[in-house]
Every structure is written in C-alpha cells, then in structure tokens.
Amino acid sequence: MVDEEPERRRRRRQWIHPIVAERYRKGQFHSLYKDLRQDPFKFRSYCRMSVEAFDNLLSLLHPHLTFMDTCMRRSISAEQRLIVTLRFLATGNSFASLHFEFLLGISTISGIVCHTCKVIWQHLREAVMPTPKAEDWLRIAEGFYQSAQFPNCIGALDGKHIRVKKPPHSGSRYFNYKQYFSVVLMALADSNYRFVIVDIGAYGSSSDSRIFSASRMGDRLRDNQLALPELRRLPGSAGPPAPFVIVADEGFALSPHMMRPFPRRDLDDRKRIFNYRLTRARRYVECAFGILSTRWRVFLSSIQMNPDNATLVIQACVLLHNFTRINDASSDADIDQNITSSVIFDQSRTGRPGTAGLAVRDVYADYFCSPEGALSWQMEAIRGSR
C-alpha cells in the first residue's frame, strides 16, 4: 500500500492583494476618519461615543495598541485598531464586511478585534468597574433609595443570554430555553445603569440561579467577602436593623442578602406591594441590558466567534458601556428608549427558600406597608395586578 503524499500548503500568489494595497488611499479609516472628527453627530453615530470620549479612551489604551514598524510593512496605528474594534462592536458586521470597508485582511481584522477587546478588559476594568468597597455599596444604596425608593439596595441582578454560533462538539451545553445557542452575561447593576460586578461565559443551558451560585460573585456573597456595610435601620423605622440586599427575579434563590418577589399564588395587598417595589428597583438591570444592546449592536445578532473570543467581546462591551455612562453625557438619550420595563416575573423556581431569607423579606414587606415606607401611589399601582 502506497502512502499518500501529505497535502502541500497552498503557496501565496501575491504578497498583498491589490485592493488591500489601496488601504492608505481608499480605506474607510484613511478616507473618512478625519472628516468624521469634524462632525460630532456623525462621529457619535459611527463610534457610539463622542470625540472627547474617544480621545480619552485612546489615551488610556494607546501604549498597549502601538506596535513597531518593520522593514516588511508599516504597523497599523492604535487609532485605526480602536476604530476597527468599535465599528465591529457598534454594528456587528462580519469580518468579511469590515475587510471591504477598511481594506484590511480578514485575519488581520479578527486579530485586531480580539487583541483590542483583551486590552480593554485588562486596562480599563479598574478605571470603570473597580471592586466595590463599603463606601461604594453605601453610594449605590443611596442611589436606589433616591430613584426607586428601595432602601438598603446594593444592586439589581439578572442574566442576559448572548447569542453565539454553536461551538463544535458542544452538544446542548450552550442551547438555552429560548431555543438558540448562547453564553450568559450575569450582571449586577446600580441605579445609574452601570454594571458593578459581572460574570461572563456560563453555558446558555444553565439557569440563572445555578450560574450565580457557581460564580465568584455568588461565592463571595455567601462567604461575606463583598465588603458589605453593617446592618442598618430602614429610613424612618424604629425596627431592627436590616441587611443590605440585592434585588432579583424569581429565577434566583431567596437569602438574607438576595430578595426576590413573592410567588404569584395567594397574593394579598402586602405581597403585591412588595413585588411592585422590588420590580421598580430590579428594572434598572433590565434597562442597563437594553442600553448595552442599543449602543453595541453586536448583541443584536449571533456573535460568529468561539466562546472564548465571544467572552472577550462581551467583556469589552460591558466596560465600554460603563465608560460611556461615565464620560459621555449623551447616554441619557438611550435611557428614554429603554426605560419602559414591564412588571413581569420569571416563572422558574429555585426550591424552597431558607427561613432567614423569608424573615428579611417580611421585614421589607412590612416596611413598605408602614407609614414610614409607603408610597402615595403604590395602592393605585398594584390594582392592575389583581
């Protein structure tokens, strides 16, 4: 039996394609970028941030996106690398499409996007999403009390399924209950629609409760390692001090630091009021997800990457979301489009809650019905849910 000859690697027919060779004259970056900077509205539409915010971001990342020229070719500038990445995140266009826009090789664009997203996660995280300390939790709690009238709330928690292409040999691990393949973005958001803590990359087939329990965030909450403030009385109340809590939907397990709605069976006015007040606080994370998807439209279609690279893209978008919320006042325009969040509870169940969590929920439910904690319109608001 004669051994087959190994398949020879196809020889490159040309060093650089003639179309790509025209990059410095016809490429979108070289022909359009300077003109865009002269029109703030067009630049914001193109990059999803203002010129000032872009320059600030570039100054933070420039040392990590700069490469040396060689005798073979000129390096791609840090500005162009950032523009290509932002354009991919802002549109979700394929690398093949970006190839014809910027006249860069498809593999070059793929490498630029993955590397830039990794740089953003490594060098922007501490600036826009630092590890919260006790004073940060107090500031977040004050924000929720002022905007949602929910005291001692340190964040709204939820998970978002990010659509990805099916990874090879993955079976049904990434196939979720919505009937598509996904990885999960688990996020805790504050009242300014900024992400405080995130966990990214869990299998789409897993439930929110299981993902949270297995996450580092869940471990730290159970082990009291989140540097939460000491128990504090609810405003105007003479009752016992109450713990600081996270608000979530019915997909999460009830605990002393995790509040979820009462089950929808046998609801009285007290339970309906608690559910209404909790949902008013919980909607902030849903609106944050809406703003994220509106600004970075790579989330509006399936991310055509393997899960590891898709995770890099999600990490970069989360940090860029916080960055624009901090540095770009135009973010307020996005809120108006996403602020409407209906009072709909997840029907998934997570088992019987512990007695400690039940006791804490009762403290908040009683407070919301007391003269000190009641809102003048809450009875009117719950009438439609009866």
Side-chain angles (χ1 to χ4, degrees):
M1 183 175 179
V2 180
D3 294 336
E4 295 182 0
E5 293 185 5
E7 183 180 353
R8 294 183 179 180
R9 184 176 180 182
R10 185 166 62 91
R11 295 183 62 184
R12 178 179 291 185
R13 289 177 294 181
Q14 48 199 187
W15 175 247
I16 185 170
H17 195 280
I19 294 179
V20 177
E22 294 291 319
R23 177 171 79 244
Y24 296 103
R25 192 166 64 91
K26 297 181 179 179
Q28 199 170 96
F29 175 79
H30 296 280
S31 63
L32 189 62
Y33 175 66
K34 290 182 180 179
D35 293 334
L36 283 173
R37 290 185 65 90
Q38 304 305 314
D39 189 325
F41 177 79
K42 293 293 185 182
F43 188 92
R44 191 189 311 279
S45 177
Y46 189 81
C47 292
R48 311 305 290 168
M49 63 179 66
S50 66
V51 177
E52 295 77 13
F54 175 83
D55 290 341
N56 188 5
L57 179 63
L58 181 63
S59 67
L60 294 172
L61 304 180
H62 191 279
H64 312 287
L65 297 177
T66 302
F67 294 83
M68 294 179 59
D69 293 337
T70 69
C71 59
M72 304 296 290
R73 64 180 65 189
R74 293 164 56 184
S75 65
I76 300 171
S77 67
E79 266 182 312
Q80 186 171 3
R81 288 173 176 272
L82 187 55
I83 286 288
V84 169
T85 302
L86 292 179
R87 195 61 186 155
F88 169 72
L89 301 179
T91 63
N93 287 350
S94 67
F95 294 151
S97 177
L98 295 174
H99 157 69
F100 290 108
E101 294 176 14
F102 291 95
L103 302 185
L104 291 166
I106 294 177
S107 61
T108 302
I109 290 176
S110 174
I112 286 174
V113 169
C114 292
H115 175 258
T116 305
C117 287
K118 187 176 182 179
V119 167
I120 289 172
W121 179 251
Q122 291 176 341
H123 300 283
L124 195 62
R125 178 173 49 178
E126 193 59 34
V128 300
M129 198 174 65
T131 302
K133 301 177 182 178
E135 54 269 25
D136 298 318
W137 293 124
L138 289 173
R139 175 183 51 80
I140 293 171
E142 181 62 23
F144 272 102
Y145 184 62
Q146 295 297 328
S147 60
Q149 293 75 52
F150 199 110
N152 287 16
C153 177
I154 57 171
L157 180 70
D158 203 0
K160 177 178 176 61
H161 287 272
I162 308 298
R163 190 187 297 263
V164 297
K165 72 173 183 179
K166 181 185 182 300
H169 315 298
S170 62
S172 60
R173 285 177 295 178
Y174 291 92
F175 195 68
N176 63 36
Y177 71 97
K178 298 181 179 181
Q179 307 299 304
Y180 60 81
F181 295 92
S182 67
V183 295
V184 178
L185 164 61
M186 181 70 61
L188 184 72
D190 65 14
S191 60
N192 291 316
Y193 309 99
R194 294 200 293 257
F195 298 115
V196 181
I197 303 176
V198 296
D199 182 83
I200 303 170
Y203 296 140
S205 61
S206 302
S207 66
D208 285 347
S209 180
R210 179 180 298 177
I211 294 171
F212 180 76
S213 297
S215 69
R216 186 164 177 260
M217 179 181 7
D219 289 339
R220 294 177 65 193
L221 181 64
R222 282 192 301 272
D223 298 337
N224 295 319
Q225 295 179 353
L226 283 180
L228 298 182
E230 296 293 331
L231 278 65
R232 187 174 68 178
R233 283 192 175 90
L234 301 179
S237 172
F244 286 80
V245 297
I246 294 170
V247 294
D249 61 23
E250 290 181 335
F252 294 86
L254 184 68
S255 72
H257 292 291
M258 180 76 72
M259 294 291 99
R260 74 173 195 176
F262 284 101
R264 283 173 289 178
R265 60 182 182 276
D266 302 326
L267 286 177
D268 54 22
D269 285 348
R270 171 177 167 274
K271 293 180 179 179
R272 286 192 176 92
I273 288 172
F274 175 85
N275 287 0
Y276 167 71
R277 297 288 292 272
L278 181 140
T279 303
R280 292 186 74 246
R282 184 173 58 83
R283 69 192 172 103
Y284 283 92
V285 67
E286 297 178 357
C287 293
F289 286 147
I291 297 170
L292 177 73
S293 298
T294 300
R295 185 179 292 274
W296 307 111
R297 300 191 176 185
V298 68
F299 295 126
L300 298 186
S301 59
S302 178
I303 300 177
Q304 299 299 305
M305 293 177 164
N306 63 53
D308 290 339
N309 288 338
T311 297
L312 288 176
V313 167
I314 300 167
Q315 288 174 338
C317 287
V318 165
L319 294 186
L320 290 172
H321 168 88
N322 280 11
F323 179 82
T324 53
R325 296 294 304 163
I326 296 170
N327 294 276
D328 204 341
S330 66
S331 298
D332 292 340
D334 294 325
I335 297 177
D336 296 335
Q337 302 175 15
N338 298 282
I339 194 68
T340 55
S341 175
S342 57
V343 184
I344 300 176
F345 303 126
D346 189 351
Q347 299 187 30
S348 58
R349 294 293 182 264
T350 58
R352 192 175 184 84
T355 56
L358 291 170
V360 173
R361 186 168 64 179
D362 285 337
V363 168
Y364 279 88
D366 292 338
Y367 174 76
F368 292 147
C369 292
S370 68
E372 296 81 10
L375 298 177
S376 59
W377 65 85
Q378 63 187 24
M379 288 302 299
E380 183 70 24
I382 68 170
R383 286 176 182 173
S385 63
R386 296 183 181 181

